[in-house]
Each structure stands twice: as C-alpha cells, then as structure tokens.
Amino acid sequence: MNWKTFFALLQRDAHVARRNVIPLLLQTFLQPMMFVFIFGRVMVSSGYMPAAYKSLLLPGIMAISMVFTGVWAVAMPLISEFQFTREIEDRLLAPIEISWLAIEKVIFGTLQALVAGLVVIPMAWLLLRPVQFNLHSPITFVCVTLLVALFSSCGGLALGCSVDQTHIGLMFSMVLTPMIFFGCTYYPWSALAHFPILQKIVLVNPLVYASEGLRGTLVPQFPHLSLLAVLAGLTLFDVLLLGIGLRQFHGKAVS
Amino acid sequence: MQVGIRTRDLRKTYTSSPPLAAGSSFAFSTARGKRNKKSKSEVVALDSLTLEVSPGEIFGLLGPNGAGKSTTVGILTTRVRPSGGQAWIGEHEVWREQVAVKRLIGVVAQRPNLDFSLTAREILVFHGAYFGIHSRTRTERAEALLDRFKLRDRAEQMVRGFSGGMMQRLSIARAMMHDPQILFLDEPSAGLDPQTRLLLWEIIREYNQRGKTILLTTHNLEEADALCKRLAIIDHGRNIALGTPSELKASVPGGFVLHLRFGRQSLELLQQLQELAGVREVRAVDAASGVSSVGSSDSNSIDVYADRGGSLISEIANLASAASVELCDVHISEPSLENLFLHHTGRSMRE
C-alpha cells in the first residue's frame, strides 16, 4: 500500500471540495433546513403537528442529509470523471492499486457525510428548540453515525459507477427520492403498522436502518427498530454496497 | 536505467464497445458462446501482436484508425485487460505488476483527459504528489514544464477553457512530470498547429536523448518518419511490417507517386500513361473523396505509381500535348510510408 499516493489523492479531493465550498454547503443544508423550518416550526407552531414531532423529525433529517451528501460527494464526481473526458485517468495511472482510488473516494465521502450529519444537529436544534435528546449511549450513536456515513458513500460508489451521465435525473427520481420517502425519515418504522406488507418491504431500504438507528440513539423515547437489527442491517448494506461499488469501479476503470 | 517494452502474442477482444480512443473501424464478428443465450458482438482489436521496443529508442506504431494502436498502448499502460498473450515493461509483467509498471511509465492519451477541477499548475503539482515527489521538487518541475510547454500565462486558470492544443501540451507536460523511463504518446500531434507540432517533436527528441524510451502511435507518416528510429506498421491488430523508416521505404517496389492534374478527362491518355516505361499503376482520383481507384476516369486528377520520378515528367507532358490535354499541375512524392502501407494492405491509410 502506497500511503503517499493515497494521501495525495485525498488532498486532491479536499482541495476541490474547498474550492466549491459555498455551493457544497447550500446543496447540503438548504433543503433539510427548509424542511425542518416548515414541518418542525411552521406546522408545529400552527398546531397541525404535535410539538413532539420536532424531536421525531430531527434524526430523520440528519439521516437524509448524511445519505444525500455521501451519495452526492462520491457519485457525482465519479459519473462525470468516467465520462467522455475520462478525467479520472491520471489518478488511475497513479502508482497504487486502482481499488484504493475507489476506497479513497469512499473515505472522503464518509467524512463529508459525517460533517453533514454533525452540522445538521446544531442547526436543526437552533431552528426547532426545544428538542428532547436522550443520548443514553454515545458509543452506539458514534457507531451508528459512522455506519450511516459509510453506507452513504458506498452507495455513492455503487451508483456513481453504475449510472450514466444521461441518467442522473433518473437516479434521483427512481432511487434517491423513493429511498427517502420510504426510508422512515419523516415517521418511525412502527407508523407503517397499518400497512403490514409495505412495512416488510421497506426493510430492504438501507435508509430505514439509518433513520431508525439515529432515532434509537438520539431520541429513544420514540418507538424504533432494535439497535441490534440496525447495526446488523447497516453493516450488511455497507459491505454489500462496497462490494458492488468496487466491482463496478473495476468494470468502469479497465476496458 | 533504461527500460524496454515487449509483447508476446498479445490479443484483445472487446465484448462490449471498445473505448473511444480505440477507434471505430473494427471488423465485427458474431460469436455464439455456449453460455450466452443471445449472440454477442465481439470486436477483435489485437490479434497476436508481438513487438519488442529496445530501451532508449523512439518506436512508432503506425496504422489507420482502428488498427489496434490505442489498444496496444492501453494494455501496455495497465488500462486495458489483455484477452491473451503477455506484455512486459522492463522486467515487469504489465497485468500482474501494475503498480511497478505505473511508476515507470508516463502516458499521453489520444484525447486530453485532464482533471477539469484543477488549474494547469495544480494538475502538474498533484500529478507529482501522486508519484510521491517531494513538495519542493514538484513545484520546481511544474514551473519548468509550464515554461517549456509555453503555458506559464495560463498556469493559474482552470483547464476547462483551454484550447485543444493547450490541453494536449499540458497532457504531455503532465506525463513528463514524474520523469518516467517510458513515455507513451497516443497520437501526440493530432490537432496541433504546425508550430506546436515542431515544438513537440523537439521536446520528444530531447527527452529521448536523456535515455528515455518513447512509444508513439500515429497515422501521420511525416511524424513517424521524422521521429522514429524504428516503426511497426499494424493493421487489423497484426504487425505487418517492422524496420527503420528508410528500410521500410526501400522495401516498396516502384516507390514514386506522381500526382497529376489535367485540364480535362481523357481515357485515351490514361491508357497511354499506363504504357510508359517504369509506370506500375495509373489511378484516377475521385475529386470528392480523394480516394484513388484503378480504371475509373471521371476525374481530372490522376496518380501514377512508378519506379522513377522526375524523368517521367517530360514524357507525360509530351503525351498530354499530343492528346491536346493541358497538364495543369504536377507533384512528385518520393518513396513514402503511405506507399508502403498501400503495398502491404492494398489500401490507403486514409481509407
């Protein structure tokens, strides 16, 4: 393993991210904050939603921000760099096994997703306060957050190496949007009890484990999936998506 | 430490569409594998290619589009997986020892593949960083290369707005940034203006004089002639001729081509030209496509393939005047690689 090359690749991505920091921030935080404002503040203040909804909403918003950021940070550059211009070529020719380039992308995406998740908490708290956090086990929270960030960037790798530039719109409307709406982000999984078949089907959606996991660690007073199931589900999806992502990456990188 | 290149029975069959740089005029065949229910298009890009490039030489791969040049470069630079055979860079087998190989090579792809998120200077500096070059050294090298390739004025700009020629220069500068032992240049002067092309040739020769091996692909005969110590002519993924440019040219019988243009068409004159001593073949050139063909006479332009050049002119002029046809233009091509390609493949490189 060639660490010098690996860190140079990370530095390059950090440099590019720094250059695009304002659009990146807007893209990451604008939508979740608007959602928090309308559903957590306007709807609650006007009495359409109970006050407790604020605390229920926050972990879901955190999960959406992390997943959206991680997927975006890894998939979008990959889609454009593997296109016609083959911008990624000089990094594929760097003296390191090409899988490490994919892993570098995943690590960088994970870091971005973590930042997004951890910034959403204070921002949402400012907009929603008071929110009732009950952080019983910080270690479990850290584990869940790490696994969610990793899942988002591995998902980004798998999507970025499978989707064509002309299908980016489809990726959002056919993959990410259904994932968010059926991902137990705006409601707990138990709320689907009236739709038993749907409740089973959504379990194939990794975002369910992300939002339920964050809910279970941040606001455990609400019903949530068992943390054991959450950790197992997230680990499984992390491994699965990383495997698919690496395979797809090799397929794209080598003719 | 000089490093050479070897390939043995290299084969490549694409089962999906070949990469863009690998050209488009492959022969398609349909293969029905036992496992595949549906028939699958297969493209044979390389068919048992064996080559040896000596350490420190400038070696040219010459051939038309789709001959397999870019695929050969792709395999030698770890970017294309060979379907069969082996390739070595120095002592390293390319597919098995990719990292060691990547340290030894610099690659300029056929189409510029610069990192659009960076400025010109950053592209060079980061490239140096990927190869573990010390920060001060890589800054110095980047500055020297920006000067050498006349890119200093645009060093701070993002490359997205660069012209094709500037991108090509920067791609070459980037490939030299880590001072590789072997430089691969896939159609290096495509799209360059004549002045930049000369600058590029000078830089390539200079780099070679430092003991570096250079493999370039081209379909520009002038370039192959001017730069390469040895050439391999490849067509349909096979090596069809190998030698120094002069050896190859000397191997063609009747190496001269006289390009003539007359005031009007005359079938009779065409037949008379054919009978002149030393004339091997007379072809009318299609005015629209520039393709010459035997026996067709719907054009005023004629190519005469002959063993001699200038001494034929007076005889041709006499024949034209006897037939009352004005001879408007004459151009004599000396024995060339174009003629060689024609000789080996039966078709022009431009076809």
Side-chain angles (χ1 to χ4, degrees):
Chain A
M1 170 59 186
N2 183 354
W3 290 106
K4 272 188 180 173
T5 306
F6 190 76
F7 284 120
L9 293 168
L10 269 176
Q11 265 176 358
R12 180 259 171 213
D13 280 352
H15 184 79
V16 174
R18 262 203 307 277
R19 177 170 282 151
N20 301 323
V21 70
I22 305 268
L24 208 68
L25 285 176
L26 288 175
Q27 175 192 309
T28 309
F29 299 116
L30 201 60
Q31 202 191 350
M33 286 311 114
M34 287 194 295
F35 205 92
V36 164
F37 180 73
I38 297 297
F39 281 83
R41 191 127 190 130
V42 176
M43 304 283 268
V44 170
S45 308
S46 55
Y48 287 104
M49 291 281 192
Y53 185 64
K54 294 189 208 178
S55 313
L56 179 91
L57 181 65
L58 196 137
I61 294 293
M62 184 177 161
I64 293 176
S65 299
M66 288 180 77
V67 169
F68 192 82
T69 305
V71 168
W72 187 279
V74 182
M76 296 308 281
L78 276 176
I79 290 173
S80 70
E81 288 173 354
F82 268 126
Q83 285 306 305
F84 193 68
T85 51
R86 298 287 293 184
E87 288 174 55
I88 203 165
E89 203 77 21
D90 71 324
R91 280 161 280 156
L92 290 171
L93 283 166
I96 192 167
E97 287 87 4
I98 56 172
S99 297
W100 285 105
L101 175 57
I103 289 169
E104 180 272 325
K105 293 268 177 204
V106 166
I107 289 177
F108 193 71
T110 305
L111 291 175
Q112 273 187 268
L114 282 175
V115 171
L118 296 177
V119 173
V120 161
I121 295 180
M123 282 172 77
W125 181 82
L126 278 176
L127 274 174
L128 293 176
R129 65 187 186 278
V131 177
Q132 290 175 323
F133 286 125
N134 286 308
L135 191 57
H136 289 314
S137 164
I139 295 173
T140 322
F141 172 69
V142 170
C143 287
V144 169
T145 313
L146 275 175
L147 285 171
V148 172
L150 194 60
F151 139 64
S152 69
S153 55
C154 290
L157 179 70
L159 277 175
C161 297
S162 313
V163 174
D164 206 56
Q165 192 156 27
T166 46
H167 295 137
I168 291 177
L170 216 58
M171 173 176 103
F172 281 95
S173 57
M174 297 295 289
V175 180
L176 289 177
T177 311
M179 234 175 90
I180 288 172
F181 278 95
F182 293 107
C184 301
T185 45
Y186 308 131
Y187 50 86
W189 183 69
S190 55
L192 292 173
H194 296 294
F195 310 89
I197 298 172
L198 184 67
Q199 196 179 30
K200 301 282 184 302
I201 294 174
V202 297
L203 288 175
V204 300
N205 180 356
L207 190 54
V208 169
Y209 303 91
S211 1
E212 287 287 287
L214 292 172
R215 199 165 282 136
T217 48
L218 279 177
V219 286
Q221 65 271 31
F222 293 102
H224 56 82
L225 280 176
S226 95
L227 286 176
L228 209 60
V230 165
L231 290 172
L234 284 174
T235 310
L236 179 78
F237 278 108
D238 283 2
V239 173
L240 191 73
L241 288 169
L242 183 65
I244 296 172
L246 284 175
R247 205 187 121 112
Q248 294 292 103
F249 185 83
H250 271 265
K252 280 264 187 188
V254 180
S255 313
Chain B
M1 180 194 64
Q2 291 190 328
V3 180
I5 304 167
R6 274 186 304 142
T7 71
R8 191 169 65 206
D9 293 332
L10 213 51
R11 280 183 288 113
K12 177 65 186 176
T13 306
Y14 292 104
T15 46
S16 54
S17 56
L20 289 163
S24 54
S25 56
F26 290 107
F28 278 81
S29 65
T30 304
R32 287 187 170 79
K34 282 181 184 171
R35 287 182 195 170
N36 300 340
K37 285 180 183 172
K38 288 181 183 173
S39 65
K40 212 174 188 180
S41 299
E42 287 197 344
V43 180
V44 179
L46 284 186
D47 187 8
S48 252
L49 185 79
T50 300
L51 278 179
E52 182 147 5
V53 179
S54 310
E57 83 173 325
I58 306 185
F59 189 91
L61 284 181
L62 189 72
N65 289 333
K69 305 186 298 288
S70 293
T71 301
T72 310
V73 171
I75 292 176
L76 289 168
T77 57
T78 75
R79 310 294 313 110
V80 174
R81 186 193 193 113
S83 313
Q86 282 171 301
W88 293 267
I89 297 288
E91 294 309 308
H92 303 287
E93 221 243 275
V94 177
W95 190 251
R96 295 214 176 121
E97 301 168 71
Q98 297 193 8
V99 177
V101 165
K102 288 196 272 191
R103 281 191 187 287
L104 291 172
I105 61 170
V107 186
V108 180
Q110 193 170 334
R111 51 183 80 236
N113 52 14
L114 298 168
D115 193 336
F116 280 175
S117 311
L118 303 176
T119 65
R121 179 179 280 118
E122 286 167 354
I123 284 178
L124 297 181
V125 172
F126 272 111
H127 185 85
Y130 302 153
F131 281 83
I133 298 171
H134 188 267
S135 147
R136 214 168 104 187
T137 317
R138 64 180 187 244
T139 313
E140 285 168 5
R141 267 193 211 170
E143 296 309 317
L145 285 166
L146 286 168
D147 279 338
R148 189 75 186 91
F149 283 87
K150 304 191 191 310
L151 288 164
R152 168 151 309 279
D153 299 347
R154 309 289 289 266
E156 301 301 332
Q157 292 177 14
M158 304 295 281
V159 294
R160 202 172 283 276
F162 277 25
S163 71
M166 288 164 72
M167 285 195 193
Q168 184 71 343
R169 277 184 274 156
L170 186 58
S171 301
I172 299 166
R174 183 182 66 182
M176 290 181 170
M177 184 68 198
H178 59 289
D179 200 27
Q181 288 301 319
I182 302 183
L183 196 58
F184 288 91
L185 298 152
D186 197 354
E187 310 255 350
S189 57
L192 293 185
D193 58 55
Q195 201 182 350
T196 315
R197 182 175 300 174
L198 289 178
L199 170 72
L200 172 63
W201 289 3
E202 189 187 309
I203 291 170
I204 292 175
R205 287 198 192 100
E206 243 175 55
Y207 199 68
N208 174 250
Q209 276 159 13
R210 290 172 46 206
K212 314 288 188 178
T213 310
I214 292 164
L215 187 143
L216 62 91
T217 78
T218 182
H219 52 207
N220 182 330
L221 301 157
E222 190 195 351
E223 182 167 77
D225 211 359
L227 284 176
C228 301
K229 284 181 191 148
R230 285 196 311 143
L231 286 174
I233 298 190
I234 60 173
D235 190 35
H236 295 309
R238 283 173 173 276
N239 186 353
I240 58 170
L242 182 77
T244 65
S246 50
E247 276 169 9
L248 289 177
K249 282 189 279 188
S251 71
V252 187
F256 289 88
V257 182
L258 286 80
H259 306 283
L260 311 171
R261 190 159 59 79
F262 294 103
R264 62 178 175 84
Q265 299 164 15
S266 165
L267 202 59
E268 191 189 348
L269 180 63
L270 214 68
Q271 280 164 354
Q272 285 172 345
L273 288 173
Q274 185 76 67
E275 284 156 16
L276 284 173
V279 171
R280 296 290 181 103
E281 200 173 293
V282 177
R283 292 181 171 198
V285 183
D286 184 81
S289 66
V291 174
S292 62
S293 57
V294 183
S296 149
S297 65
D298 58 344
S299 157
N300 299 355
S301 295
I302 286 166
D303 285 350
V304 175
Y305 291 78
D307 294 343
R308 55 201 177 106
S311 60
L312 266 172
I313 299 298
S314 59
E315 293 167 46
I316 292 171
N318 288 342
L319 281 179
S321 128
S324 307
V325 178
E326 189 191 358
L327 180 57
C328 307
D329 191 25
V330 176
H331 177 81
I332 305 170
S333 305
E334 296 200 339
S336 69
L337 294 162
E338 165 77 44
N339 303 357
L340 176 79
F341 190 79
L342 193 73
H343 170 68
H344 281 280
T345 64
R347 59 194 174 90
S348 162
M349 281 186 63
R350 297 187 189 89
E351 280 170 32

